[in-house]
């Protein structure tokens, strides 16, 4: 069938070009565009692959890290290597004594939407968590109960604003959580973030047109840090970074962070509760997960392999109007103590591109996986658990008690089709995993 379609396409191209009498260069460009369109439609029609396939023995007590897949094309890391005692994250506990990592699927639902981000939080203080889904133009609140997942609240983005990501926390300690939504201007892609509050079953805007991308991360003393990054013409990793605070329902700069070439969108804090120390984990523009000292702001160590890969981008200005330069928005990291050793691990996503960076503005991801990284008695971050290969890509992660049973779950946002096409609507899967 594909051969017949391709033959018909070539015949149509021939008569179309004869009628228009185009030059050879224009004909080549149009032909390439048609072939790429057909390829995209073909790839979107491919069946998915199980997130946790049979190749992973979910009944085993542990997983053999030596068999975990890694990025063999990655060159040796030149980041500094230090001992765990110097990182202040030494466990003093052997791997055999730690809780074994393994997961099973708890819930999955396909939405006819482009979903950028998610979060889990008890937004109305009734003792039950809600799940928040963020699309480019809506914030949608669901609650999982009795095996159903109905929508219970919704907030629409202001005209000209495109939502990027979301974090939820009660930063001003008034017993009412705020929604920190990173957003861009749909015309210029300058940052136009906003803060919402949910009271009496209604969303209220506390502040809008905030010129930062924002990220909330939990510190070792359970306090929360609100980090913000200003827009830069050089890309998402180049803007100035600040520690922000919410005062009288307004965002203001508390102090500047002397961290450069990092995107706040990938920030998370890795905590060691044994000695009350903490470091920043972030996804660098190079693709390596880097550990940064919070006092000196220096890079201490990094992952062995590269992670990331995201078709969602921020447009950048260009002197040449014919060039649409973009900067990739990093996938957010999650840090939490999965194996109950009082030291956080890091969840990292690796999505693989179809065209291997041939098309900067049309990135297509067809395969990927995620790893849980931890310190295994060396100064390097190494995989402690490796997921199976999945189709498509993961755009965001969240960790929280999805089903309100008292134990946290890992939520994955996996766009099946990140944007609608001429023939099909956008589709996104919400996948919820629970630790065994």
């Amino acid at each position: 069938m594909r051969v017949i379609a391709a033959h018909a396409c070539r015949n149509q191209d021939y008569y179309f070009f004869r009628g228009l009498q185009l030059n050879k260069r224009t004909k080549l460009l149009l032909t390439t565009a048609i072939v790429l369109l057909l390829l995209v439609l073909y790839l979107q029609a491919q069946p998915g692959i199980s997130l946790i396939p049979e190749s992973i023995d979910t009944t085993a007590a542990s997983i053999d890290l030596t068999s975990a897949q890694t990025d063999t094309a990655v060159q040796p890391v030149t980041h500094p290597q230090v001992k765990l005692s110097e990182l202040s994250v030494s466990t003093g506990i052997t791997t055999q004594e730690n809780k074994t990592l393994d997961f099973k699927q708890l819930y999955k639902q396909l939405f006819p939407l482009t979903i950028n981000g998610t979060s889990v939080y008890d937004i109305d203080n009734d003792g039950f968590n809600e799940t928040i889904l963020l699309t480019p133009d809506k914030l949608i609140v669901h609650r999982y109960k009795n095996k159903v997942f109905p929508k219970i609240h919704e907030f629409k983005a202001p005209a000209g604003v495109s939502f990027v990501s979301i974090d939820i926390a009660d930063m001003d300690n008034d017993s009412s959580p705020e929604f920190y939504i990173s957003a861009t201007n749909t015309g210029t892609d300058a940052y136009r973030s906003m803060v919402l509050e949910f009271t009496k079953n209604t969303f209220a805007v506390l502040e809008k047109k905030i010129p930062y991308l924002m990220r909330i991360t939990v510190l070792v003393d359970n306090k929360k840090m609100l980090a913000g990054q200003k827009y830069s013409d050089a890309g998402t990793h180049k803007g100035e970074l600040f520690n922000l605070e919410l005062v009288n329902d307004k965002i203001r700069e508390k102090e500047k962070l002397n961290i450069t070439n990092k995107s706040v969108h990938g920030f998370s804090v890795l905590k060691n509760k044994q000695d009350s120390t903490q470091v920043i984990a972030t996804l660098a523009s190079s693709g390596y997960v880097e550990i940064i000292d919070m006092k000196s702001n220096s890079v201490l160590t990094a992952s062995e392999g590269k992670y990331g890969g995201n078709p969602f981008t921020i447009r950048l200005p260009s002197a040449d109007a014919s060039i649409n330069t973009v900067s990739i928005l990093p996938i957010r990291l999650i840090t939490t103590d999965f194996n109950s050793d009082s030291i956080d691990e890091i969840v990292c996503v690796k999505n693989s591109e179809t065209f291997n960076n041939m098309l900067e503005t049309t990135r297509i991801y067809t395969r990927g996986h995620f790893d849980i990284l931890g310190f295994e008695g060396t100064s390097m971050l190494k995989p402690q658990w490796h997921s199976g290969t999945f189709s498509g890509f993961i755009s965001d992660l969240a960790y929280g008690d999805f089903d309100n049973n008292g134990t946290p779950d890992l939520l994955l946002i996996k766009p099946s089709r990140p944007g609608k096409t001429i023939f099909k609507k956008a589709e996104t899967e919400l996948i919820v995993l629970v630790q065994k």
Side-chain angles (χ1 to χ4, degrees), residues 96-112:
Q96 289 74 20
E97 293 174 338
N98 293 343
K99 181 179 179 180
T100 302
L101 295 181
D102 206 356
F103 296 85
K104 65 180 180 180
Q105 184 172 291
L106 172 67
Y107 181 79
K108 181 171 72 171
Q109 182 169 334
L110 184 67
F111 295 85

Side-chain angles (χ1 to χ4, degrees), residues 364-377:
I364 299 176
Y365 295 84
T366 57
R367 296 292 182 268
H369 70 270
F370 70 93
D371 288 345
I372 295 179
L373 306 184
F375 292 97
E376 291 289 334

Side-chain angles (χ1 to χ4, degrees), residues 172-431:
D172 56 2
N173 299 312
D174 64 352
S175 300
S176 181
E178 302 90 40
F179 295 68
Y180 295 83
I181 303 177
S182 294
T184 64
N185 185 305
T186 54
T188 62
D189 275 348
Y191 300 155
R192 287 186 61 183
S193 301
M194 60 193 311
V195 179
L196 307 179
E197 189 173 52
F198 186 77
T199 56
K200 299 179 180 180
N201 290 328
T202 303
F203 286 100
V205 178
L206 297 184
E207 188 173 8
K208 58 184 179 180
K209 298 183 180 180
I210 300 171
Y212 311 93
L213 291 184
M214 299 180 291
R215 181 73 165 117
I216 292 177
T217 185
V218 181
L219 303 178
V220 73
D221 55 3
N222 289 325
K223 292 183 179 179
K224 297 176 177 64
M225 180 177 74
L226 173 60
Q229 186 166 34
K230 287 188 174 180
Y231 180 83
S232 170
D233 291 349
T236 56
H237 287 79
K238 297 296 185 179
E240 292 182 310
L241 289 159
F242 296 88
N243 187 1
L244 305 175
E245 59 183 352
L246 183 68
V247 179
N248 297 325
D249 295 340
K250 299 293 182 182
I251 294 292
R252 72 179 189 185
E253 295 175 3
K254 187 176 181 180
E255 60 182 343
K256 186 176 180 179
L257 300 176
N258 294 318
I259 300 174
T260 58
N261 300 321
K262 300 292 183 294
S263 170
V264 73
H265 201 258
F267 268 34
S268 193
V269 170
L270 187 149
K271 303 177 289 294
N272 179 359
K273 294 182 180 179
Q274 292 184 353
D275 59 11
S276 299
T277 57
Q278 56 199 356
V279 290
I280 293 176
T282 188
L283 186 63
S285 58
S286 61
Y288 294 105
V289 176
E290 295 182 340
I291 300 299
I292 301 175
D293 182 82
M294 294 185 70
K295 294 182 179 179
S296 66
N297 297 322
S298 59
V299 177
L300 299 173
T301 189
S303 60
E304 294 179 314
K306 292 183 179 182
Y307 293 91
N310 194 353
F312 298 142
T313 59
I314 302 294
R315 292 197 304 273
L316 302 174
S318 174
D320 186 347
S322 65
I323 299 176
N324 184 15
T325 58
V326 297
S327 181
I328 298 174
L329 196 68
I331 300 173
R332 300 194 299 177
L333 302 178
I334 287 179
T335 53
T336 192
D337 184 12
F338 283 103
N339 60 4
S340 302
D341 64 355
S342 297
I343 299 174
D344 287 347
E345 288 77 45
I346 310 171
V347 186
C348 313
V349 172
K350 172 63 176 177
N351 295 319
S352 300
E353 286 185 64
T354 299
F355 296 123
N356 194 25
N357 289 327
M358 285 177 61
L359 300 174
E360 286 291 331
T361 59
T362 311
R363 294 175 180 270
I364 299 176
Y365 295 84
T366 57
R367 296 292 182 268
H369 70 270
F370 70 93
D371 288 345
I372 295 179
L373 306 184
F375 292 97
E376 291 289 334
T378 71
S379 60
M380 295 294 291
L381 289 169
K382 293 187 176 181
Q384 291 187 346
W385 192 85
H386 181 92
S387 81
T389 300
F390 51 83
S391 63
F393 65 98
I394 289 176
S395 62
D396 197 28
L397 304 158
Y399 190 68
D401 189 0
F402 169 81
D403 57 354
N404 291 294
N405 71 342
T407 59
D409 309 296
L410 181 61
L411 282 70
L412 313 175
I413 296 297
K414 191 175 83 69
S416 303
R417 285 191 293 271
K420 64 181 179 180
T421 66
I422 300 174
F423 306 102
K424 297 180 180 179
K425 294 181 179 180
E427 289 184 346
T428 306
E429 281 186 318
L430 169 67
I431 301 173

Side-chain angles (χ1 to χ4, degrees), residues 116-127:
N116 291 347
T118 186
S119 187
V120 178
Y121 205 95
D122 179 9
I123 68 171
D124 50 11
N125 294 315
D126 64 351

